[in-house]
Amino acid sequence: MKITCSKTELCNALRIVSKAIASKPQSPILSGIFMKTTENQLELQATNYELSFISRLPATIEEPGQMTLAGHYILEVISKMPGEQVSLSLPVGEKMVTIQSDKATFKLLSMEAAEFPQIQPISGNIHFQLKDALLRKLIQKTVFACSNEDSRPVFTGCSLSIKEHQVMMVATNTHRLSVMQTQIDESQGNINIIIPAKILSELAHTLNSDVPQPITVTCSPNQISFQTPDTYMSSRLIEGQFPSFDNIIPASFATHVKVKRELLAQSLERVSLISRVSNYNVVKLYFTDGNIHLSAHDPEVGNADDDIPAELNGPDLHIAFNVDYLKDVLRSMDSEVIRIGFNREISPAVLQEEDTDEFLYIVTPVRTTF
Amino acid sequence: MKITCSKTELCNALRIVSKAIASKPQSPILSGIFMKTTENQLELQATNYELSFISRLPATIEEPGQMTLAGHYILEVISKMPGEQVSLSLPVGEKMVTIQSDKATFKLLSMEAAEFPQIQPISGNIHFQLKDALLRKLIQKTVFACSNEDSRPVFTGCSLSIKEHQVMMVATNTHRLSVMQTQIDESQGNINIIIPAKILSELAHTLNSDVPQPITVTCSPNQISFQTPDTYMSSRLIEGQFPSFDNIIPASFATHVKVKRELLAQSLERVSLISRVSNYNVVKLYFTDGNIHLSAHDPEVGNADDDIPAELNGPDLHIAFNVDYLKDVLRSMDSEVIRIGFNREISPAVLQEEDTDEFLYIVTPVRTTF
């Protein structure tokens, strides 16, 4: 095998696939990145059996072939190469791969390419397309709300449902719920799946192309893949039933608040210096017209109190939350001003962006004394 | 006690003194930052008995007094305050310190101020002054060459010697030696001391004032202090005799090399991806006229080979080094082109900046086969 390609493009492709290498691979070959030539491309693969990533880049193929290189080395070596182009070669029957760029030459011991479990694209019977910007938005507004605890698998993923022109992604850890729904131009049939948070996070990182492009999604009963012209990512799906949440979305609110997102975020950041000390990470809020009073208390450290301006409609309200559940959602919102709806101090609150109902976040208060 | 001061100035002062707090303080009070008012200043102190730092800043004193606050909290709290000004107050007989800025108020449990071992400025009989830029240069060109091993204390510090108009700082770990010497305008008498690397590193970080200022140095038989109008830093001195090194500086060189510093640094960075795997971290260099060939080898990983242009006078030479000993010194040098002098492959090499002899670095080669 002998190829030449752009150093920058090879680094990008290596960065994408290397995210599928487990920190403790099940077998030595899974610590490697498999490379093979196609007609005028170099294809890179890595897998930990749960996630499987493929990335392709243009390459001049002088001799077709394949090789597997240790994943943690190859990205560092390529990124430190002096030239703009880099060439990789492995003569038939040899073990040392030669990597050359400008006047620098590395010879690295390769792994046995034939041992690498090549990724088989999943052959599902469900196919649909989503625009990359839309998919990124669906992920970024929901994936942070997933649970990290494996004990209840359905909460470690995001529920994706498509019904004709309506697409919705939902995530929850049972204490907070994040819902993003929007319209799509082309009807894509009916879909209901739960996708692991892990692949969605990695996917969101790669969806940063300047040129808008459609993502082709394929599902089999227990797997999903996301495909662009350059990359392919597949994962198992999470089995189970995502809970119905329609009945927990309050139909109306007694108190409506409008507040500048950045002001609230900074104030929460401040008072959380005290609340993070305790186990429950509690911030207390007191909403009145014109003002939100935020406070946190820890008997061994002290108190924090802060006030920020806000607009209020309805009765005043004392309420307390896990401060992280508020900080997380404010980071994922985009509008300058956000809306918050409340009923009672023990009822869930709802956060939304100022001018759209597409995104909705429900958070359960913490019971405390005021 | 009640004072008001600039948030930014207080953060800067806290950042400086907090470096004297040990990661595992000997007693709880040493995890605190002591504060006291002077006529129109706030003075901050922290110590781990080995290092003692004081920093002062302008403040409006409404009620004089003193307090001690937990070091790891107070910097975070102050830096997250919303306003430009911050006020601190501790009513007599109370335990909660109130920190206020704009609409934010923190009340933090204070420590017992009287328990803090207030820093006594050392009363030495040796005093001299050095310009801050000169002192920073002396430190930055030498301190990296110190040893980290406590088994031979004199090598964990830098030797500072002043003889009339000549000032010299030297550091070594016995495998490499860094010497910076220069002339000063005013004679400062004769001084020979060994200063711990720790305080020199911290001192170099604080010597970044835009306005040139003199540093007053005071020595007692076993302590040293560095003083500017705003800060005071003291440390024990290292006892012992710094070894004489005049006889290891080669009087002449068989081979002279000139090479671009940045090119050599990048190439070493590259080949060190291989050399760092082995225990000895070895890079081999082959100097010929017009070219330096760099290589590294590890039987379990592979080889790296690289070439960079260089000017050579004298016989060609194969020589090998611990790659870190070269990378370190290149970072501390300033000139675009550097000079290297060699004699034989088992003799120390000398690195210098292009146009000055003030700085000199001697590095012992590694014995290897070529």
Side-chain angles (χ1 to χ4, degrees):
Chain A
M1 170 176 167
K2 185 165 188 199
I3 67 106
T4 302
C5 64
S6 143
K7 179 181 94 167
T8 311
E9 288 178 346
L10 181 54
C11 282
N12 288 343
L14 286 166
R15 233 170 250 128
I16 291 170
V17 297
S18 62
K19 295 290 169 59
I21 299 177
S23 51
K24 290 177 185 170
Q26 287 178 39
S27 65
I29 193 73
L30 293 185
S31 68
I33 292 177
F34 173 80
M35 300 184 185
K36 72 173 179 192
T37 57
T38 62
E39 199 174 335
N40 48 15
Q41 285 190 317
L42 178 64
E43 179 175 306
L44 279 55
Q45 298 192 0
T47 181
N48 60 18
Y49 290 133
E50 189 170 325
L51 296 180
S52 296
F53 293 174
I54 299 176
S55 187
R56 300 181 192 88
L57 63 150
T60 308
I61 313 296
E62 290 172 58
E63 271 177 41
Q66 58 185 44
M67 59 172 81
T68 301
L69 280 163
H72 61 289
Y73 256 108
I74 183 67
L75 176 57
E76 264 193 301
V77 167
I78 301 292
S79 65
K80 292 227 161 79
M81 280 303 201
E84 286 179 16
Q85 296 284 310
V86 57
S87 74
L88 286 81
S89 64
L90 176 65
V92 176
E94 298 212 356
K95 292 216 155 189
M96 300 300 278
V97 173
T98 301
I99 301 164
Q100 199 153 18
S101 177
D102 217 341
K103 292 193 172 170
T105 306
F106 276 70
K107 284 183 192 287
L108 297 183
L109 199 61
S110 68
M111 304 167 96
E112 191 56 66
E115 280 181 16
F116 188 89
Q118 281 194 54
I119 297 166
Q120 301 304 322
I122 66 170
S123 54
N125 48 357
I126 303 174
H127 305 273
F128 57 94
Q129 287 205 328
L130 291 172
K131 285 183 182 148
D132 55 352
L134 172 74
L135 186 54
R136 189 172 61 227
K137 196 171 181 180
L138 288 168
I139 297 171
Q140 285 178 341
K141 301 256 181 200
T142 56
V143 73
F144 68 89
C146 289
S147 169
N148 297 317
E149 289 167 26
D150 289 335
S151 55
R152 300 173 74 182
V154 293
F155 299 129
T156 63
C158 292
S159 153
L160 174 70
S161 52
I162 303 181
K163 206 180 207 172
E164 302 302 337
H165 292 270
Q166 184 77 16
V167 57
M168 177 163 65
M169 199 172 264
V170 187
T172 182
N173 69 355
T174 72
H175 306 294
R176 42 112 175 251
L177 175 95
S178 211
V179 183
M180 174 73 203
Q181 59 184 322
T182 189
Q183 298 288 324
I184 46 176
D185 297 339
E186 286 175 52
S187 167
Q188 300 279 5
N190 286 326
I191 286 147
N192 266 301
I193 50 178
I194 307 172
I195 311 168
K198 183 99 205 271
I199 191 168
L200 291 176
S201 299
E202 295 303 341
L203 180 63
H205 286 138
T206 67
L207 295 178
N208 51 9
S209 166
D210 296 333
V211 190
Q213 53 185 4
I215 313 294
T216 303
V217 187
T218 301
C219 299
S220 74
N222 54 9
Q223 284 188 296
I224 188 167
S225 72
F226 300 90
Q227 185 148 16
T228 70
D230 301 333
T231 62
Y232 174 91
M233 298 183 158
S234 71
S235 166
R236 63 176 180 87
L237 285 170
I238 296 173
E239 288 175 50
Q241 186 68 37
F242 204 80
S244 156
F245 53 87
D246 291 342
N247 56 342
I248 66 161
I249 300 178
S252 64
F253 300 108
T255 299
H256 294 264
V257 174
K258 281 191 179 187
V259 58
K260 286 195 174 165
R261 183 170 59 92
E262 195 54 32
L263 276 187
L264 180 56
Q266 285 168 356
S267 184
L268 290 168
E269 203 60 59
R270 211 170 285 140
V271 297
S272 67
L273 290 176
I274 301 294
S275 47
R276 72 173 179 202
V277 183
S278 71
N279 288 330
Y280 300 103
N281 210 3
V282 174
V283 58
K284 296 181 184 181
L285 299 108
Y286 178 50
F287 292 86
T288 53
D289 192 23
N291 195 68
I292 308 175
H293 181 78
L294 299 95
S295 64
H297 173 68
D298 182 86
E300 288 179 14
V301 179
N303 307 316
D305 287 273
D306 199 10
D307 290 279
I308 55 171
E311 209 178 282
L312 177 136
N313 257 300
D316 296 357
L317 187 86
H318 282 284
I319 196 164
F321 295 103
N322 177 327
V323 68
D324 286 341
Y325 291 171
L326 297 182
K327 284 160 73 177
D328 287 349
V329 68
L330 292 180
R331 270 192 291 268
S332 87
M333 293 169 105
D334 296 306
S335 62
E336 196 190 331
V337 170
I338 63 153
R339 293 177 287 151
I340 317 179
F342 298 103
N343 285 304
R344 293 181 306 146
E345 71 177 53
I346 54 164
S347 308
V350 170
L351 285 84
Q352 292 191 280
E353 288 168 333
E354 187 174 25
D355 300 319
T356 169
D357 289 335
E358 286 189 338
F359 174 67
L360 180 136
Y361 183 78
I362 305 179
V363 53
T364 309
V366 178
R367 281 171 194 262
T368 185
T369 55
F370 289 95
Chain B
M1 170 175 165
K2 185 164 188 202
I3 68 107
T4 303
C5 64
S6 143
K7 178 180 95 167
T8 311
E9 287 178 345
L10 181 54
C11 281
N12 288 343
L14 286 166
R15 235 170 248 127
I16 290 170
V17 298
S18 62
K19 295 291 170 57
I21 300 176
S23 51
K24 291 179 184 168
Q26 288 179 38
S27 65
I29 193 73
L30 293 185
S31 68
I33 292 177
F34 173 80
M35 300 185 185
K36 71 175 180 190
T37 58
T38 62
E39 199 174 337
N40 47 16
Q41 286 191 317
L42 177 65
E43 179 175 307
L44 278 57
Q45 298 192 0
T47 181
N48 60 18
Y49 290 135
E50 190 171 324
L51 297 180
S52 297
F53 293 174
I54 300 175
S55 188
R56 298 180 193 90
L57 64 149
T60 307
I61 313 296
E62 290 172 58
E63 271 178 42
Q66 60 185 41
M67 60 172 79
T68 301
L69 282 163
H72 62 289
Y73 256 107
I74 182 67
L75 176 57
E76 265 194 300
V77 167
I78 300 290
S79 64
K80 291 227 162 79
M81 280 303 200
E84 286 179 16
Q85 296 284 308
V86 57
S87 74
L88 287 81
S89 64
L90 177 64
V92 175
E94 298 211 357
K95 292 214 155 190
M96 300 301 278
V97 173
T98 301
I99 301 165
Q100 199 154 19
S101 178
D102 217 340
K103 291 192 173 170
T105 306
F106 276 71
K107 285 183 192 288
L108 297 183
L109 199 61
S110 67
M111 306 168 95
E112 190 55 67
E115 279 181 17
F116 188 88
Q118 282 195 52
I119 297 167
Q120 301 302 323
I122 66 170
S123 54
N125 48 356
I126 303 174
H127 305 273
F128 57 94
Q129 287 205 327
L130 291 172
K131 283 180 183 152
D132 56 352
L134 172 74
L135 186 55
R136 189 172 62 228
K137 195 170 181 182
L138 287 168
I139 297 170
Q140 285 178 340
K141 301 257 179 198
T142 55
V143 73
F144 68 89
C146 289
S147 169
N148 297 317
E149 289 167 27
D150 289 334
S151 56
R152 300 173 75 183
V154 294
F155 298 130
T156 64
C158 293
S159 153
L160 174 69
S161 51
I162 302 183
K163 206 179 206 174
E164 303 300 339
H165 292 269
Q166 184 77 15
V167 56
M168 177 162 66
M169 199 172 263
V170 186
T172 181
N173 68 355
T174 73
H175 305 295
R176 43 109 173 253
L177 175 95
S178 210
V179 183
M180 175 71 203
Q181 59 185 321
T182 189
Q183 298 288 322
I184 46 177
D185 298 338
E186 287 175 52
S187 165
Q188 301 277 7
N190 285 326
I191 286 146
N192 265 301
I193 50 178
I194 307 172
I195 311 168
K198 183 98 205 273
I199 190 167
L200 291 175
S201 299
E202 295 302 341
L203 180 63
H205 286 137
T206 67
L207 296 177
N208 51 9
S209 165
D210 296 334
V211 190
Q213 53 185 4
I215 313 294
T216 302
V217 187
T218 301
C219 298
S220 72
N222 54 10
Q223 284 187 295
I224 188 166
S225 72
F226 300 90
Q227 187 150 16
T228 70
D230 301 332
T231 62
Y232 172 92
M233 298 183 155
S234 70
S235 166
R236 65 178 179 85
L237 285 171
I238 296 173
E239 287 174 53
Q241 186 68 37
F242 204 80
S244 157
F245 54 86
D246 290 342
N247 56 341
I248 66 160
I249 300 178
S252 64
F253 300 108
T255 298
H256 295 263
V257 174
K258 281 190 179 187
V259 58
K260 285 194 175 164
R261 184 169 59 92
E262 196 54 34
L263 276 187
L264 181 56
Q266 285 167 356
S267 183
L268 290 168
E269 203 62 57
R270 210 169 286 141
V271 297
S272 67
L273 290 176
I274 301 293
S275 48
R276 71 172 181 203
V277 184
S278 71
N279 288 329
Y280 300 104
N281 209 2
V282 173
V283 58
K284 296 180 184 181
L285 299 109
Y286 178 49
F287 292 86
T288 53
D289 193 22
N291 195 68
I292 308 174
H293 181 79
L294 298 94
S295 64
H297 173 67
D298 180 87
E300 289 179 13
V301 178
N303 308 317
D305 288 273
D306 199 10
D307 291 278
I308 55 171
E311 208 177 283
L312 177 138
N313 256 300
D316 296 357
L317 186 88
H318 282 285
I319 195 163
F321 296 102
N322 177 329
V323 68
D324 285 340
Y325 291 171
L326 296 182
K327 284 160 72 176
D328 288 348
V329 68
L330 294 179
R331 269 193 291 269
S332 85
M333 292 169 106
D334 297 306
S335 62
E336 195 189 332
V337 171
I338 62 154
R339 295 178 283 153
I340 316 179
F342 298 103
N343 284 304
R344 292 181 307 146
E345 71 176 54
I346 54 162
S347 307
V350 170
L351 285 85
Q352 293 189 279
E353 289 169 331
E354 187 174 24
D355 301 319
T356 169
D357 289 336
E358 286 189 338
F359 175 67
L360 179 136
Y361 183 78
I362 305 178
V363 52
T364 310
V366 178
R367 279 168 196 264
T368 186
T369 53
F370 288 95

